[in-house]
């Protein structure tokens, strides 16, 4: 056989091996165990459901403080942490990272306590009335500039629910108005402030983060990567897609996918998973929040895979949040396989009540093994 023919068959063998290898890597991925940098666990009996669901997916989670009553001091946060740890299933390592609830009465001295705490990492600002259990939130950010000055001094992250709450502002415009009217002036006053713009939903928010330095970061939820307001509204209102900030237009969803899958370390995983009983979601109150904890990493894998960027998932899910918070990256690994799984229709919650998880009854392409 001539040399050219041998080269030809060698080339065929190479490509057969190449495509086989590519098939394996696309159907099975391993990544450092991820963290959730924005999760709601609630308290009391709710922890029996929420803690195991989250701990089976994530090594660490920022645990939101909007309880009733809210978690306002380091001492209260550490007590809440112990209540969470009591529900971690045996054999799982789960590290709850705590956050204080920012109020008009928060003391500047409390910030140095956060800085010195081993397990409390940040403070969360909810504009009063912005979302679930936010009635005790900050009424006017200018009232708490003395506390924010201490945040900047001690480099303690400020976590922001980035929406204005004025009744006359359209609900789809509240995030952009917050950027223009609250956040831009805040960063001019405190240029070295470390902050996380939580659960961003618009292209304006994504570009705002990109335009600022490394002190400004953002979390992105699975629902804002996978869905848009058509999913919420077309064919009738779907209460289990209702969250705050609300789902936006398709073009905003596309921008979020672009930045989440870009490999830019300023964007990282935060589910905003929030448990609400079915009867609380499916009524006139329509509590805001999507419960994604049981299938969170698979939901993110679905979103990344749909745009051909599954190789970027590890950075977004496992590296960038830990780096921003100055915590070591995890060392354990998880494996995802491209095998269909159907999300359950409902989950038990609070005795005889149910939770409808995000995307209930629908099939995902990825499964955590």
């Amino acid at each position: 056989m001539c040399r050219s023919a041998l080269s030809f068959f060698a080339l065929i063998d190479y490509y057969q091996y190449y495509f086989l290898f590519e098939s394996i890597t696309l159907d099975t991925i391993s990544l450092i165990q991820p963290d959730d940098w924005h999760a709601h666990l609630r308290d009391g009996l709710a922890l029996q459901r929420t803690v195991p669901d989250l701990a089976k997916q994530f090594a660490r989670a920022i645990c939101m403080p909007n309880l009733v009553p809210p978690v306002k001091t380091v001492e209260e946060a550490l007590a809440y942490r112990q209540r969470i740890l009591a529900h971690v299933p045996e054999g799982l390592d789960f590290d709850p990272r705590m956050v204080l609830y920012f109020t008009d009465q928060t003391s500047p001295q409390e910030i140095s306590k956060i800085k010195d705490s081993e397990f409390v990492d940040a403070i969360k600002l909810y504009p009063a009335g912005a979302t679930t259990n936010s009635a005790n939130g900050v009424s006017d950010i200018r009232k708490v500039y003395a506390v924010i000055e201490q945040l900047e001094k001690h480099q303690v992250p400020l976590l922001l629910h980035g929406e204005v709450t004025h009744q006359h502002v359209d609900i789809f415009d509240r995030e952009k108005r917050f950027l223009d009217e609250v956040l831009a002036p805040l960063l001019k006053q405190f240029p070295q402030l470390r902050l996380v713009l939580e659960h961003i939903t618009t292209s304006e928010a994504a570009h705002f983060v990109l335009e600022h330095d490394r002190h400004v970061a953002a979390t992105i939820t699975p629902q804002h990567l996978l869905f848009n307001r058509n999913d919420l509204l077309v064919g009738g209102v779907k209460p289990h897609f209702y969250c705050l900030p609300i789902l936006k237009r398709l073009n905003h969803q596309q921008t979020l996918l672009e930045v989440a899958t870009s490999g830019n370390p300023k964007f990282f995983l935060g589910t905003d998973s929030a448990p609400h009983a079915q009867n609380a979601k499916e009524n006139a109150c329509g509590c805001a929040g999507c419960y994604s904890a049981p299938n969170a990493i698979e939901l993110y894998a679905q979103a990344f895979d749909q745009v051909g960027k599954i190789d970027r998932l590890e950075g977004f899910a496992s590296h960038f949040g830990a780096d921003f918070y100055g915590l070591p990256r995890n060392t354990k690994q998880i494996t995802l396989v491209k095998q269909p799984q159907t999300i359950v229709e409902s989950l038990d919650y609070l005795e005889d009540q149910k939770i409808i998880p995000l995307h209930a009854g629908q099939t995902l392409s990825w499964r955590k093994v």
Side-chain angles (χ1 to χ4, degrees), residues 155-170:
Q155 288 294 283
V156 171
L158 173 63
L159 315 185
L160 285 167
H161 181 113
E163 291 188 290
V164 299
T165 57
H166 314 304
Q167 290 298 313
H168 66 277
V169 177
D170 189 291

Side-chain angles (χ1 to χ4, degrees), residues 72-76 100 106-115 123 147:
K72 296 184 288 185
T73 68
V74 167
E75 290 76 16
E76 291 170 353
L100 303 193
T106 297
S107 166
Q109 288 72 41
E110 201 68 36
I111 306 309
S112 62
K113 294 181 182 179
I114 297 175
K115 183 66 175 178
I123 190 166
V147 181

